[in-house]
Amino acid sequence: MKSEPNECSIDDLVRLGRVPWTGVRNYQARNFMRDAMQVGDGVLFYHSSCPEPGIAGLARVASAAYPDATQFDAASPYFDPKSRPDAPRWLHVDVDQGRKTRLLPLAEMRQRPELATMGVLKPGSRLSITPVTPDEWQAVQALLATG
DNA sequence: GCCAACGTTGGC
DNA sequence: GCCAACGTTGGC
């Protein structure tokens, strides 16, 4: 799951304990949260749009998907005037159990053939949420465990 | 700031 | 349903 650290960094998650993953406004990313995530699933916490993009920590899916309140808040940058309260368009999960790891920079991720299949590395991928296979998860853990 | 990639919008 | 225009993402 990508997050801009100036919006919500891994340090913010560790400090807050639990965070609602609001603001996702892409159907594919929404569907991953709605259909593919389960409470207890592991999360790779990725810092994007920052000086050092890469995996910055681990976390856990803490809830099933539920309606994103910011879509109905006219004062929010995530306000969606086309979404109706009786048929919410945007959903999100909560995330908790943040743990900071060493930074695994995007440049290093690209060098590792075992990570080449990861959605976040696909050319032109802009999805803020992509699924991770068990093999990819294991490969990332192994890299995080090394200096 | 640049720009490639991609999603969304809306006219037809 | 097509597709051009436009907006956004996000690394560099």
Side-chain angles (χ1 to χ4, degrees), chain A residues 46 106 109-110 112 115-125 130:
Chain A
Y46 180 94
L106 176 61
M109 295 175 71
R110 290 200 191 284
R112 310 301 289 198
L115 303 188
T117 56
M118 290 188 74
V120 75
L121 299 183
K122 296 234 174 76
S125 167
T130 47

Side-chain angles (χ1 to χ4, degrees), chain A residues 25 67-73 78-81 83 88-91:
Chain A
R25 294 296 180 267
D68 182 339
T70 64
Q71 69 196 303
F72 303 122
D73 176 2
Y78 302 121
F79 178 59
D80 182 351
S83 186
R89 185 180 289 197
W90 304 114
L91 310 172

Side-chain angles (χ1 to χ4, degrees), chain A residues 10-54:
Chain A
I10 184 66
D11 291 317
D12 292 330
L13 175 59
V14 170
R15 180 166 46 83
L16 295 169
R18 178 172 176 136
V19 159
W21 207 265
T22 55
V24 172
R25 294 296 180 267
N26 172 282
Y27 289 105
Q28 231 179 317
R30 179 204 65 182
N31 293 347
F32 285 138
M33 288 195 285
R34 186 189 61 191
D35 305 331
M37 286 188 181
Q38 295 189 310
V39 173
D41 282 351
V43 172
L44 302 177
F45 196 107
Y46 180 94
H47 283 176
S48 69
S49 293
C50 60
E52 287 194 294

Side-chain angles (χ1 to χ4, degrees), chain A residues 1-2 28 32 42-47 54-58 104-144:
Chain A
M1 299 177 84
K2 292 184 190 172
Q28 231 179 317
F32 285 138
V43 172
L44 302 177
F45 196 107
Y46 180 94
H47 283 176
I55 294 171
L58 306 173
L104 178 57
L106 176 61
E108 182 178 345
M109 295 175 71
R110 290 200 191 284
Q111 288 173 0
R112 310 301 289 198
E114 66 270 34
L115 303 188
T117 56
M118 290 188 74
V120 75
L121 299 183
K122 296 234 174 76
S125 167
R126 297 173 311 160
L127 272 182
S128 64
I129 297 176
T130 47
V132 176
T133 68
D135 282 351
E136 291 162 356
W137 176 271
Q138 280 307 117
V140 168
Q141 304 308 312
L143 285 172
L144 289 174

